[in-house]
Short mmCIF file of all heavy atoms in Angstrom, two decimals:
data_model
loop_
_atom_site.label_atom_id
_atom_site.label_comp_id
_atom_site.label_asym_id
_atom_site.label_seq_id
_atom_site.Cartn_x
_atom_site.Cartn_y
_atom_site.Cartn_z
N LEU A 1 115.65 94.40 86.28
CA LEU A 1 116.86 94.49 87.16
C LEU A 1 117.98 93.69 86.63
O LEU A 1 119.10 94.08 86.67
CB LEU A 1 116.47 94.11 88.54
CG LEU A 1 115.54 95.01 89.33
CD1 LEU A 1 115.02 94.39 90.59
CD2 LEU A 1 116.19 96.34 89.63
N ALA A 2 117.69 92.51 86.07
CA ALA A 2 118.69 91.63 85.53
C ALA A 2 119.40 92.31 84.29
O ALA A 2 120.57 92.23 84.10
CB ALA A 2 118.12 90.30 85.09
N ALA A 3 118.58 92.91 83.46
CA ALA A 3 119.15 93.61 82.27
C ALA A 3 120.04 94.76 82.68
O ALA A 3 121.15 94.96 82.18
CB ALA A 3 117.99 94.09 81.36
N VAL A 4 119.61 95.51 83.64
CA VAL A 4 120.40 96.70 84.11
C VAL A 4 121.72 96.12 84.89
O VAL A 4 122.81 96.65 84.71
CB VAL A 4 119.62 97.57 85.07
CG1 VAL A 4 120.46 98.61 85.71
CG2 VAL A 4 118.48 98.23 84.27
N GLN A 5 121.53 94.96 85.55
CA GLN A 5 122.66 94.38 86.30
C GLN A 5 123.79 94.10 85.25
O GLN A 5 124.96 94.26 85.58
CB GLN A 5 122.25 93.12 86.99
CG GLN A 5 123.34 92.43 87.69
CD GLN A 5 123.86 93.21 88.93
OE1 GLN A 5 123.21 93.29 89.96
NE2 GLN A 5 125.00 93.78 88.81
N ALA A 6 123.42 93.57 84.10
CA ALA A 6 124.44 93.19 83.11
C ALA A 6 125.21 94.47 82.68
O ALA A 6 126.48 94.40 82.58
CB ALA A 6 123.79 92.60 81.87
N HIS A 7 124.57 95.59 82.50
CA HIS A 7 125.25 96.82 82.19
C HIS A 7 126.07 97.38 83.32
O HIS A 7 127.17 97.94 83.11
CB HIS A 7 124.26 97.90 81.69
CG HIS A 7 123.67 97.63 80.35
ND1 HIS A 7 124.35 98.01 79.17
CD2 HIS A 7 122.58 96.99 79.98
CE1 HIS A 7 123.64 97.65 78.12
NE2 HIS A 7 122.56 97.04 78.56
N VAL A 8 125.60 97.15 84.59
CA VAL A 8 126.39 97.56 85.72
C VAL A 8 127.74 96.83 85.80
O VAL A 8 128.79 97.42 85.95
CB VAL A 8 125.61 97.45 87.05
CG1 VAL A 8 126.50 97.51 88.28
CG2 VAL A 8 124.43 98.38 87.11
N ILE A 9 127.67 95.53 85.64
CA ILE A 9 128.87 94.72 85.59
C ILE A 9 129.82 95.07 84.55
O ILE A 9 131.02 95.19 84.75
CB ILE A 9 128.48 93.23 85.59
CG1 ILE A 9 127.81 92.86 86.99
CG2 ILE A 9 129.78 92.34 85.40
CD1 ILE A 9 127.29 91.40 87.02
N THR A 10 129.25 95.26 83.29
CA THR A 10 130.10 95.66 82.19
C THR A 10 130.83 96.97 82.48
O THR A 10 132.04 97.08 82.20
CB THR A 10 129.20 95.87 80.91
OG1 THR A 10 128.59 94.64 80.63
CG2 THR A 10 130.04 96.26 79.73
N TYR A 11 130.09 97.90 83.04
CA TYR A 11 130.73 99.25 83.38
C TYR A 11 131.87 99.07 84.40
O TYR A 11 132.98 99.54 84.23
CB TYR A 11 129.77 100.20 83.93
CG TYR A 11 130.29 101.44 84.51
CD1 TYR A 11 130.82 102.47 83.73
CD2 TYR A 11 130.52 101.53 85.94
CE1 TYR A 11 131.43 103.56 84.35
CE2 TYR A 11 131.08 102.70 86.50
CZ TYR A 11 131.52 103.67 85.66
OH TYR A 11 132.14 104.78 86.25
N LEU A 12 131.57 98.28 85.50
CA LEU A 12 132.52 98.10 86.57
C LEU A 12 133.71 97.35 86.09
O LEU A 12 134.91 97.63 86.48
CB LEU A 12 131.88 97.45 87.76
CG LEU A 12 130.87 98.24 88.48
CD1 LEU A 12 130.17 97.34 89.57
CD2 LEU A 12 131.40 99.48 89.12
N LEU A 13 133.55 96.35 85.23
CA LEU A 13 134.73 95.56 84.80
C LEU A 13 135.60 96.18 83.69
O LEU A 13 136.76 96.06 83.67
CB LEU A 13 134.26 94.13 84.32
CG LEU A 13 133.79 93.15 85.31
CD1 LEU A 13 133.31 91.87 84.67
CD2 LEU A 13 135.03 92.81 86.31
N PHE A 14 134.90 96.83 82.80
CA PHE A 14 135.60 97.23 81.53
C PHE A 14 135.66 98.70 81.27
O PHE A 14 136.52 99.18 80.49
CB PHE A 14 134.93 96.56 80.37
CG PHE A 14 134.83 95.05 80.45
CD1 PHE A 14 133.65 94.41 80.57
CD2 PHE A 14 136.02 94.33 80.46
CE1 PHE A 14 133.62 93.07 80.70
CE2 PHE A 14 135.97 92.93 80.64
CZ PHE A 14 134.81 92.32 80.68
N THR A 15 134.84 99.56 81.88
CA THR A 15 134.80 100.99 81.58
C THR A 15 135.41 101.78 82.68
O THR A 15 136.16 102.72 82.36
CB THR A 15 133.34 101.44 81.33
OG1 THR A 15 132.77 100.52 80.36
CG2 THR A 15 133.33 102.87 80.85
N ARG A 16 135.10 101.59 83.92
CA ARG A 16 135.54 102.34 85.03
C ARG A 16 137.06 102.35 85.18
O ARG A 16 137.74 101.39 85.06
CB ARG A 16 134.94 101.74 86.35
CG ARG A 16 135.26 102.56 87.62
CD ARG A 16 134.56 102.01 88.75
NE ARG A 16 134.86 100.63 88.99
CZ ARG A 16 135.31 100.23 90.21
NH1 ARG A 16 135.44 100.98 91.20
NH2 ARG A 16 135.63 98.89 90.33
N GLU A 17 137.56 103.55 85.37
CA GLU A 17 139.04 103.78 85.55
C GLU A 17 139.38 103.37 87.05
O GLU A 17 138.86 104.05 87.97
CB GLU A 17 139.42 105.23 85.33
CG GLU A 17 139.09 105.71 83.92
CD GLU A 17 140.17 105.26 82.90
OE1 GLU A 17 141.30 105.06 83.35
OE2 GLU A 17 139.88 105.15 81.73
N THR A 18 140.19 102.45 87.21
CA THR A 18 140.66 102.02 88.56
C THR A 18 141.89 101.17 88.40
O THR A 18 142.22 100.59 87.38
CB THR A 18 139.53 101.15 89.28
OG1 THR A 18 140.01 100.89 90.56
CG2 THR A 18 139.15 99.90 88.50
N ASP A 19 142.60 101.08 89.52
CA ASP A 19 143.86 100.28 89.52
C ASP A 19 143.61 98.79 90.07
O ASP A 19 144.57 98.04 90.08
CB ASP A 19 144.89 100.94 90.48
CG ASP A 19 145.31 102.29 90.03
OD1 ASP A 19 145.38 102.53 88.81
OD2 ASP A 19 145.72 103.19 90.85
N CYS A 20 142.43 98.52 90.34
CA CYS A 20 142.06 97.20 90.84
C CYS A 20 142.05 96.13 89.73
O CYS A 20 141.86 96.48 88.53
CB CYS A 20 140.64 97.22 91.47
SG CYS A 20 140.49 98.30 92.84
N THR A 21 142.31 94.90 90.07
CA THR A 21 142.17 93.78 89.12
C THR A 21 140.70 93.61 88.85
O THR A 21 139.87 94.17 89.48
CB THR A 21 142.82 92.53 89.78
OG1 THR A 21 142.00 92.10 90.84
CG2 THR A 21 144.25 92.71 90.17
N HIS A 22 140.46 92.72 87.85
CA HIS A 22 139.06 92.54 87.44
C HIS A 22 138.13 92.14 88.59
O HIS A 22 137.09 92.72 88.73
CB HIS A 22 138.98 91.47 86.33
CG HIS A 22 139.29 92.10 84.93
ND1 HIS A 22 139.00 93.35 84.62
CD2 HIS A 22 139.83 91.54 83.88
CE1 HIS A 22 139.39 93.61 83.43
NE2 HIS A 22 139.86 92.50 82.92
N LEU A 23 138.49 91.18 89.36
CA LEU A 23 137.68 90.69 90.45
C LEU A 23 137.52 91.82 91.55
O LEU A 23 136.45 92.00 92.16
CB LEU A 23 138.11 89.40 91.04
CG LEU A 23 137.94 88.19 90.06
CD1 LEU A 23 138.40 86.93 90.73
CD2 LEU A 23 136.50 88.05 89.67
N GLU A 24 138.62 92.43 91.87
CA GLU A 24 138.59 93.54 92.85
C GLU A 24 137.73 94.71 92.33
O GLU A 24 137.12 95.39 93.14
CB GLU A 24 139.99 94.06 93.09
CG GLU A 24 140.90 93.14 93.88
CD GLU A 24 142.29 93.65 93.96
OE1 GLU A 24 142.73 94.42 93.06
OE2 GLU A 24 143.01 93.31 94.95
N ARG A 25 137.59 94.86 91.02
CA ARG A 25 136.70 95.93 90.50
C ARG A 25 135.25 95.77 90.93
O ARG A 25 134.54 96.76 91.09
CB ARG A 25 136.76 95.95 88.93
CG ARG A 25 138.04 96.42 88.41
CD ARG A 25 138.08 96.29 86.86
NE ARG A 25 139.22 96.90 86.30
CZ ARG A 25 139.13 98.00 85.53
NH1 ARG A 25 137.95 98.46 85.20
NH2 ARG A 25 140.22 98.58 85.11
N LEU A 26 134.84 94.52 91.13
CA LEU A 26 133.50 94.30 91.57
C LEU A 26 133.29 94.37 93.05
O LEU A 26 132.21 94.83 93.53
CB LEU A 26 133.06 92.91 91.00
CG LEU A 26 132.98 92.69 89.56
CD1 LEU A 26 132.60 91.21 89.23
CD2 LEU A 26 131.95 93.61 88.94
N CYS A 27 134.27 93.98 93.78
CA CYS A 27 134.11 93.95 95.28
C CYS A 27 134.37 95.21 95.96
O CYS A 27 133.83 95.56 97.02
CB CYS A 27 135.06 92.85 95.82
SG CYS A 27 134.70 91.17 95.28
N ARG A 28 135.28 96.00 95.43
CA ARG A 28 135.67 97.24 96.09
C ARG A 28 134.87 98.42 95.48
O ARG A 28 135.53 99.36 95.09
CB ARG A 28 137.12 97.50 95.94
CG ARG A 28 137.96 96.33 96.63
CD ARG A 28 139.45 96.63 96.59
NE ARG A 28 140.10 95.50 97.24
CZ ARG A 28 141.35 95.52 97.43
NH1 ARG A 28 142.13 96.57 97.07
NH2 ARG A 28 141.96 94.48 98.03
N VAL A 29 133.59 98.32 95.61
CA VAL A 29 132.70 99.33 95.02
C VAL A 29 132.09 100.09 96.16
O VAL A 29 131.42 99.48 97.04
CB VAL A 29 131.66 98.75 94.11
CG1 VAL A 29 130.76 99.82 93.54
CG2 VAL A 29 132.32 97.96 92.97
N GLY A 30 132.31 101.43 96.22
CA GLY A 30 131.66 102.23 97.24
C GLY A 30 130.32 102.72 96.83
O GLY A 30 129.85 102.59 95.78
N HIS A 31 129.67 103.50 97.69
CA HIS A 31 128.38 104.05 97.49
C HIS A 31 128.32 104.93 96.26
O HIS A 31 127.41 104.83 95.41
CB HIS A 31 127.81 104.73 98.72
CG HIS A 31 126.46 105.32 98.66
ND1 HIS A 31 125.42 104.50 98.75
CD2 HIS A 31 126.02 106.55 98.44
CE1 HIS A 31 124.29 105.26 98.57
NE2 HIS A 31 124.66 106.45 98.37
N ARG A 32 129.31 105.84 96.17
CA ARG A 32 129.32 106.76 95.02
C ARG A 32 129.56 106.01 93.68
O ARG A 32 128.96 106.30 92.74
CB ARG A 32 130.47 107.78 95.21
CG ARG A 32 130.52 108.84 94.20
CD ARG A 32 131.70 109.82 94.36
NE ARG A 32 133.04 109.24 94.15
CZ ARG A 32 133.54 108.78 93.05
NH1 ARG A 32 132.88 109.02 91.95
NH2 ARG A 32 134.68 108.26 92.93
N GLU A 33 130.42 105.03 93.76
CA GLU A 33 130.67 104.24 92.55
C GLU A 33 129.44 103.37 92.15
O GLU A 33 129.20 103.14 90.94
CB GLU A 33 131.89 103.31 92.77
CG GLU A 33 133.15 104.03 92.93
CD GLU A 33 134.31 103.19 93.46
OE1 GLU A 33 134.01 102.48 94.42
OE2 GLU A 33 135.38 103.25 92.88
N GLN A 34 128.71 102.93 93.12
CA GLN A 34 127.44 102.19 92.76
C GLN A 34 126.51 103.15 92.04
O GLN A 34 125.94 102.68 90.98
CB GLN A 34 126.76 101.73 94.12
CG GLN A 34 127.45 100.54 94.73
CD GLN A 34 126.83 100.20 96.05
OE1 GLN A 34 126.27 101.03 96.73
NE2 GLN A 34 126.97 98.91 96.42
N GLY A 35 126.37 104.33 92.49
CA GLY A 35 125.51 105.33 91.86
C GLY A 35 125.98 105.62 90.43
O GLY A 35 125.16 105.73 89.51
N GLN A 36 127.29 105.82 90.27
CA GLN A 36 127.85 106.08 88.90
C GLN A 36 127.65 104.88 88.02
O GLN A 36 127.26 105.06 86.86
CB GLN A 36 129.32 106.43 89.03
CG GLN A 36 129.94 106.87 87.70
CD GLN A 36 129.22 108.12 87.17
OE1 GLN A 36 128.91 109.07 87.87
NE2 GLN A 36 129.03 108.13 85.87
N ALA A 37 127.81 103.70 88.52
CA ALA A 37 127.55 102.45 87.69
C ALA A 37 126.14 102.42 87.26
O ALA A 37 125.79 102.07 86.11
CB ALA A 37 128.00 101.23 88.44
N LEU A 38 125.19 102.68 88.21
CA LEU A 38 123.82 102.63 87.87
C LEU A 38 123.44 103.74 86.86
O LEU A 38 122.75 103.35 85.85
CB LEU A 38 122.93 102.76 89.14
CG LEU A 38 121.45 102.67 88.94
CD1 LEU A 38 121.04 101.39 88.28
CD2 LEU A 38 120.70 102.93 90.25
N ALA A 39 123.93 104.89 87.05
CA ALA A 39 123.58 105.94 86.09
C ALA A 39 124.14 105.61 84.71
O ALA A 39 123.43 105.86 83.71
CB ALA A 39 124.23 107.30 86.56
N THR A 40 125.33 105.07 84.59
CA THR A 40 125.87 104.68 83.31
C THR A 40 125.06 103.58 82.74
O THR A 40 124.82 103.64 81.48
CB THR A 40 127.35 104.26 83.44
OG1 THR A 40 128.09 105.34 84.06
CG2 THR A 40 127.96 103.83 82.19
N ALA A 41 124.73 102.57 83.52
CA ALA A 41 123.86 101.48 82.95
C ALA A 41 122.57 101.96 82.49
O ALA A 41 122.14 101.47 81.30
CB ALA A 41 123.75 100.38 84.09
N LEU A 42 121.86 102.79 83.23
CA LEU A 42 120.57 103.34 82.81
C LEU A 42 120.73 104.11 81.47
O LEU A 42 119.94 103.93 80.58
CB LEU A 42 119.90 104.11 83.94
CG LEU A 42 119.58 103.41 85.21
CD1 LEU A 42 118.97 104.34 86.19
CD2 LEU A 42 118.72 102.17 84.96
N ALA A 43 121.69 104.99 81.46
CA ALA A 43 121.93 105.81 80.29
C ALA A 43 122.20 104.98 79.05
O ALA A 43 121.69 105.19 77.88
CB ALA A 43 122.99 106.85 80.50
N GLU A 44 123.09 104.00 79.22
CA GLU A 44 123.47 103.09 78.10
C GLU A 44 122.25 102.39 77.52
O GLU A 44 122.05 102.25 76.34
CB GLU A 44 124.51 102.08 78.54
CG GLU A 44 125.88 102.58 78.74
CD GLU A 44 126.62 102.93 77.45
OE1 GLU A 44 126.30 102.29 76.41
OE2 GLU A 44 127.57 103.74 77.51
N THR A 45 121.44 101.86 78.43
CA THR A 45 120.23 101.13 78.01
C THR A 45 119.23 102.06 77.34
O THR A 45 118.68 101.71 76.27
CB THR A 45 119.60 100.49 79.26
OG1 THR A 45 120.62 99.65 79.97
CG2 THR A 45 118.46 99.54 78.84
N LEU A 46 119.00 103.22 77.84
CA LEU A 46 118.08 104.16 77.22
C LEU A 46 118.52 104.61 75.90
O LEU A 46 117.78 104.81 74.97
CB LEU A 46 117.79 105.34 78.18
CG LEU A 46 117.11 105.01 79.49
CD1 LEU A 46 116.94 106.25 80.34
CD2 LEU A 46 115.69 104.44 79.21
N TRP A 47 119.85 104.88 75.79
CA TRP A 47 120.44 105.29 74.52
C TRP A 47 120.28 104.24 73.47
O TRP A 47 119.92 104.50 72.33
CB TRP A 47 121.86 105.72 74.76
CG TRP A 47 122.43 106.43 73.58
CD1 TRP A 47 123.36 105.98 72.69
CD2 TRP A 47 122.18 107.78 73.23
NE1 TRP A 47 123.63 106.89 71.71
CE2 TRP A 47 122.92 108.06 72.02
CE3 TRP A 47 121.36 108.75 73.70
CZ2 TRP A 47 122.86 109.24 71.35
CZ3 TRP A 47 121.34 110.02 73.07
CH2 TRP A 47 122.13 110.28 71.91
N ALA A 48 120.48 103.02 73.82
CA ALA A 48 120.35 101.94 72.89
C ALA A 48 118.89 101.71 72.47
O ALA A 48 118.59 101.51 71.31
CB ALA A 48 120.88 100.58 73.53
#
């Protein structure tokens, strides 16, 4: 979970397209965005 968490945060802070500032990128995450962040994190880890 910790390894996947690192990829989730990386996606939310640096990859996801949003108008929010860096800290807001983490707090203003909805259910759909959580799923997308998790899918991206899992895919990135498996691909690596």
Side-chain angles (χ1 to χ4, degrees):
L1 291 169
V4 172
Q5 180 69 74
H7 285 278
V8 166
I9 290 173
T10 299
Y11 169 78
L12 292 173
L13 283 177
F14 305 113
T15 308
R16 181 175 62 123
E17 299 279 334
T18 181
D19 294 332
C20 298
T21 65
H22 278 329
L23 292 178
E24 289 174 333
R25 287 173 172 250
L26 294 177
C27 299
R28 297 186 183 185
V29 179
H31 183 73
R32 187 184 64 75
E33 293 166 313
Q34 288 175 333
Q36 187 59 42
L38 180 59
T40 301
L42 297 180
E44 288 284 338
T45 307
L46 295 176
W47 191 254

